[in-house]
Amino acid sequence: VTNPDSDKDDRLSAFFVPMDAPGFEVINMPHMMGCRGAGHGELKFTNCRIDKKYLLGREGQGLEIAMHSLSVSRAHIAASNLGMAQRMLELSLAYANDRVTFGKPIGTRQAIRVKIADMSMMVHALRCMVYDFAKANPTGEYIEEKAAMCKLFSIDTTRKVSDEMLEIFGGVGYFEDCKYGPVERLYRDCRAMWLEEGAPTVQRITIS
């Protein structure tokens, strides 16, 4: 808060804080269910002072910078979900063609084909949304709505695709050392995306 007397959006400013700034530390947070290659931390400031050269943008522009950064980050989450959903679809297709029951690959069974069709449709739709956002972002168009839509739909996509993937794989997909690929890891990892950059309810509020 650089302008505490204001009751407008210009109360806040954004700053870059060097890791070695006196009084600043990052405290590791508990181990996560998924995304174990990354981590989260709590930022702790104790009488932390930084030089004014670390101001981002203009003074009073903090909220604008934060909201724009959040929107771009939400689209990044959607792109991550797209990559995971695509991989889950690929693994499911490979397994459905390889797994044989009663003399035929399960991929020939109508129940499995319906699942594959639904998964493919949602992955394609999410890809179109992400590409649409990427096209709009450099033009200066208002992106907050599209970013929230991308994030929200990507959650629904990975939820549906991951559930269908596990049903297609059955019991073998629940083991960590599944020889067909990281089925259980993808199932765990995609759940973190529910919460990154705002839960589903937050996205709906932003859109509305």
Side-chain angles (χ1 to χ4, degrees):
V1 179
T2 52
N3 188 6
D5 296 329
S6 175
D7 59 356
K8 300 178 181 178
D9 291 345
D10 64 355
R11 295 180 72 247
L12 306 175
S13 296
F15 295 88
F16 170 80
V17 181
M19 289 290 291
D20 59 355
F24 172 62
E25 60 180 315
V26 178
I27 302 173
N28 289 332
M29 296 178 74
H31 188 68
M32 297 186 296
M33 177 176 67
C35 296
R36 294 176 181 173
H40 288 73
E42 176 187 350
L43 308 183
K44 184 177 180 181
F45 301 90
T46 307
N47 298 322
C48 179
R49 298 182 66 88
I50 56 175
D51 193 279
K52 63 181 181 181
K53 69 181 180 181
Y54 292 118
L55 175 69
L56 296 176
R58 301 185 308 275
E59 186 173 336
Q61 201 179 10
L63 183 61
E64 179 185 344
I65 291 172
M67 294 307 296
H68 180 78
S69 299
L70 188 62
S71 293
V72 174
S73 189
R74 282 172 176 165
H76 288 169
I77 296 297
S80 296
N81 275 331
L82 172 59
M84 284 191 285
Q86 177 67 42
R87 183 64 176 137
M88 288 187 279
L89 174 60
E90 292 168 355
L91 291 173
S92 299
L93 282 167
Y95 183 72
N97 287 324
D98 185 62
R99 171 69 169 142
V100 174
T101 61
F102 302 101
K104 296 196 312 186
I106 63 172
T108 63
R109 313 284 180 186
Q110 188 176 35
I112 301 299
R113 294 170 72 91
V114 168
K115 292 181 183 296
I116 295 295
D118 287 346
M119 295 163 73
S120 300
M121 177 181 63
M122 294 196 74
V123 170
H124 177 65
L126 177 56
R127 180 175 290 107
C128 289
M129 290 186 73
V130 171
Y131 284 5
D132 181 63
F133 176 89
K135 184 178 179 181
N137 187 31
T139 65
E141 178 183 333
Y142 178 80
I143 60 172
E144 279 74 6
E145 180 185 13
K146 284 187 175 181
M149 286 181 175
C150 283
K151 164 74 196 298
L152 183 59
F153 186 74
S154 74
I155 294 172
D156 289 340
T157 298
T158 51
R159 178 190 290 116
K160 172 74 172 179
V161 171
S162 63
D163 284 348
E164 296 287 32
M165 172 187 67
L166 198 60
E167 286 196 25
I168 290 171
F169 271 87
V172 297
Y174 199 67
F175 291 95
E176 288 188 358
D177 59 350
C178 176
K179 68 177 183 178
Y180 295 96
V183 176
E184 64 83 30
R185 176 186 171 184
L186 286 165
Y187 192 86
R188 282 186 294 105
D189 284 356
C190 73
R191 263 91 191 137
M193 302 305 172
W194 270 233
L195 313 170
E196 300 284 0
E197 318 304 11
T201 48
V202 173
Q203 310 308 320
R204 288 186 168 90
I205 290 171
T206 301
I207 294 167
S208 63

